[in-house]
Amino acid sequence: MTAALRVVPTPTSLPGHEVLNQVRDFVARFSAFPSEHCAPMLALWYAHTWVVDAFYITPRLILSSPEPGSGKTRVLEIAQHLTNQPEMTAGGSAAALVRMVAAGPISILMDEVDTVFGAGGAGNEEVRQMLNLGYKRTATIPKTKGDPATGFTVERLPVFAPAA
C-alpha cells in the first residue's frame, strides 16, 4: 500500500491594489453605475471598513437615485459580503443603534434611509444625530443608566462607525 500524498495549497498574498481591483470588478458585475468611478470608490469604502480603527474620521457612503428600483439596495446587499461586521438595517430605535455601535465594531448598512432623513422622518431625530455625528472618532451620545431608587449615571456611548 502506498500512502497518498495530500497537497494543501498555501495561501498567497496579493498586493493591495490587486485585491481592490478584484473587489471593483466583482461589484461592477451586479450594478450599472452612472460613472466609471463608482465601483472603485465602493471597493475603497468597503476596504476602509476593515481598517477604520486607524482613522479619525470615516466617510459616509450615500447612495442616491431619482428613481426607485435603481439598485441602491443591491449595492448594500453586496456590501454585506465585503464589509467588516456588516449590520443591514432599515431603521430601528436610536437607543438600539447606538448600543450596537458602542458594542461594535460594525459597519452600518442602512436601507430606506429616507425614513430617517425624508419628509416622513419625524421622530427619528436621535437616529439622525447618531448618523450625522458618528463620522468622527470622538463622537459620543450620552445615555442615562440606573433607576430612581439607586440613582442614575451617564454613559457616554461612542457612535463612531462606517455607515452607508
Side-chain angles (χ1 to χ4, degrees):
M1 259 201 212
T2 60
L5 179 62
R6 185 170 172 214
V7 177
V8 178
T10 57
T12 59
S13 295
L14 291 175
H17 72 281
E18 287 184 27
V19 173
L20 288 172
N21 286 343
Q22 288 180 7
V23 170
R24 175 203 62 206
D25 295 344
F26 179 77
V27 167
R29 289 176 46 200
F30 299 97
S31 300
F33 295 111
S35 164
E36 66 184 76
H37 305 292
C38 293
M41 185 277 314
L42 286 172
L44 287 169
W45 191 84
Y46 297 159
H48 168 77
T49 68
W50 290 92
V51 295
V52 70
D53 286 340
F55 292 89
Y56 178 69
I57 63 168
T58 178
R60 295 304 194 216
L61 177 62
I62 307 296
L63 305 169
S64 65
S65 171
E67 300 275 334
S70 61
K72 298 179 296 291
T73 298
R74 175 63 47 162
V75 170
L76 293 176
E77 289 169 348
I78 300 303
Q80 285 184 288
H81 301 285
L82 299 168
T83 57
N84 186 25
Q85 302 298 316
E87 187 64 47
M88 182 85 151
T89 181
S93 73
L97 287 170
V98 167
R99 293 194 186 283
M100 287 167 54
V101 170
I106 67 169
S107 297
I108 302 168
L109 306 175
M110 187 170 281
D111 201 6
E112 305 299 334
V113 77
D114 54 330
T115 62
V116 174
F117 288 101
N124 288 321
E125 193 57 35
E126 288 183 1
V127 174
R128 182 191 323 250
Q129 289 171 348
M130 185 203 74
L131 292 172
N132 283 343
L133 190 61
Y135 77 95
K136 193 180 344 178
R137 175 167 302 286
T138 57
T140 61
I141 290 185
K143 296 288 180 185
T144 56
K145 181 180 176 180
D147 62 63
T150 59
F152 293 99
T153 60
V154 175
E155 282 185 291
R156 288 167 184 83
L157 300 172
V159 291
F160 178 70

